[in-house]
């Protein structure tokens, strides 16, 4: 009998082979964060002179954390497109019928998303270091930063997989992307939370992504802050979307018969 682990590894392997054979599928997850880093760090670097901007790591490091977490989330979302595509091609439906441990399907796609983001994160980090990004944190701090990225990656793939499992069509792609895009950009992207004013400050304060960003920037600068809020937010979001994806799986099972 095929185990849950075997199913997960088989799906992750298949997704890796799809990317190797179709490298064009890897271009958007790679180019989008690189372009964002270059545009934000270069074009908005003067923001570091704004009164009240007291982030010690410099503006490149400040924006790098956002771009890193953004790349993690969207690497997960793009994997949701693959889930929907597998349903359109009939592959996912056959898996649902044949697999005895169907939760391994979600685990496999999540593992594939994490592997994809790992490559993006390495390239993104190298580019940022070449651009003279300051790193004040030690090894443990950096592990904390990339752990926050893992939370964002899992949240992205679980959210988008939940949509894909319900709709079973790539036509649901905008619904997979838009809420994630809004959650990311309704946070302190360009300036610290204290410099935001009006409604955007209120929304950002209530946005759990804000605390992941704040903790990530603290890790990179070597002065971690709000760690309990950040990790509680990461765990909470991941758990919520895991339940969302699990219920989507149950709906897909009923549809598959």
């Amino acid at each position: 009998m095929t185990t849950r682990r075997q199913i997960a590894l088989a799906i992750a392997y298949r997704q890796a082979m799809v990317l190797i054979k179709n490298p064009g599928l890897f271009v958007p997850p790679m180019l989008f964060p690189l372009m964002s880093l270059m545009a934000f760090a270069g074009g908005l670097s003067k923001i570091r002179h704004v009164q009240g901007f007291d982030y010690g790591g410099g503006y490149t490091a400040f924006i790098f954390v956002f771009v890193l977490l953004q790349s993690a989330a969207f690497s997960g979302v793009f994997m949701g497109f693959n889930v929907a595509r597998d349903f359109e091609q009939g592959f996912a439906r056959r898996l649902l019928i044949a697999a005895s441990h169907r939760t391994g399907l979600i685990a496999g796609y999540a593992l594939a998303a994490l592997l994809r983001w790992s490559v993006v994160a390495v390239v993104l980090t190298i580019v940022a270091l070449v651009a003279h990004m300051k790193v004040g944190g030690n090894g443990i701090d950096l592990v904390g930063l990339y752990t926050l990225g893992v939370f964002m990656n899992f949240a992205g793939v679980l959210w988008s997989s939940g949509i894909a499992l319900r709709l079973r069509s790539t036509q649901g792609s905008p619904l997979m992307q838009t809420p994630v895009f809004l959650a990311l950009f309704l946070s302190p992207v360009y300036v610290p939370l204290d410099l935001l004013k009006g409604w955007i400050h209120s929304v950002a304060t209530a946005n759990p992504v804000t605390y992941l960003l704040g903790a990530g920037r603290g890790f990179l600068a070597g002065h971690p802050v709000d760690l309990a809020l950040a990790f509680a937010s990461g765990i909470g979001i991941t758990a919520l979307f895991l339940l969302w994806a699990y219920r989507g799986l149950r709906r897909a099972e009923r549809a598959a018969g």
Side-chain angles (χ1 to χ4, degrees):
M1 180 180 293
T2 305
T3 66
R4 185 178 293 105
R5 178 173 175 271
Q6 289 173 322
I7 293 171
L9 291 176
I11 290 177
Y13 176 79
R14 180 179 182 271
Q15 293 299 321
M17 291 300 101
V18 168
L19 285 178
I20 292 173
K21 294 178 181 179
N22 302 277
L25 297 175
F26 195 70
V27 172
M30 181 65 73
L31 286 185
F32 184 62
L34 288 174
M35 292 174 64
S36 296
L37 179 64
M38 290 186 291
F40 297 158
L44 302 176
S45 60
K46 295 299 183 182
I47 291 178
R48 70 183 185 276
H49 300 303
V50 172
Q51 185 177 1
F53 188 94
D54 56 358
Y55 183 70
Y59 198 73
T60 299
F62 182 85
I63 207 66
F64 168 79
V65 176
F66 170 76
V67 174
L68 182 72
L69 297 187
Q70 179 193 53
S71 71
F74 276 101
S75 290
V77 169
F78 289 140
M79 186 55 62
F81 298 173
N82 291 11
V83 178
R85 191 177 300 110
D86 283 346
F87 271 105
E88 290 182 337
Q89 296 173 351
F91 173 74
R93 185 177 184 277
R94 293 194 297 271
L95 277 178
L96 285 174
I97 295 173
S100 55
H101 297 283
R102 293 166 176 170
T103 52
L105 304 180
I106 296 176
Y109 285 112
L111 177 58
L114 180 60
L115 292 173
R116 174 187 284 188
W117 176 64
S118 297
V119 177
V120 175
V122 168
V123 174
L124 192 61
T125 302
I126 292 172
V127 171
L129 291 173
V130 170
H132 306 293
M133 177 180 71
K134 297 178 182 178
V135 178
N138 56 30
I140 296 176
D141 292 328
L142 296 181
V143 169
L145 169 60
Y146 289 96
T147 299
L148 296 177
V150 172
F151 283 133
M152 292 293 291
N153 184 251
F154 283 163
V157 70
L158 291 172
W159 161 256
S160 59
S161 294
I163 297 294
L165 289 164
R166 286 167 170 80
L167 301 183
R168 298 177 291 281
S169 171
T170 53
Q171 292 182 6
S173 299
L175 189 55
M176 299 179 200
Q177 297 181 80
T178 304
V180 177
F181 183 87
L182 291 174
L184 286 166
F185 280 90
L186 291 176
S187 65
V189 178
Y190 308 114
V191 296
L193 179 63
D194 292 343
L195 295 183
L196 296 178
K197 305 296 181 183
W199 68 269
I200 187 63
H201 180 273
S202 300
V203 172
T205 301
N207 186 352
V209 175
T210 295
Y211 302 104
L212 273 75
L213 268 178
R217 286 164 173 162
F219 278 133
L220 191 58
H223 303 288
V225 295
D226 295 330
L227 297 188
L229 277 173
F231 281 94
S233 297
I235 293 170
I237 293 171
T238 302
L240 177 64
F241 289 155
L242 178 60
L243 179 61
W244 164 257
Y246 177 79
R247 289 182 174 177
L249 178 63
R250 291 291 174 248
R251 184 174 295 186
E253 288 175 347
R254 291 193 295 270

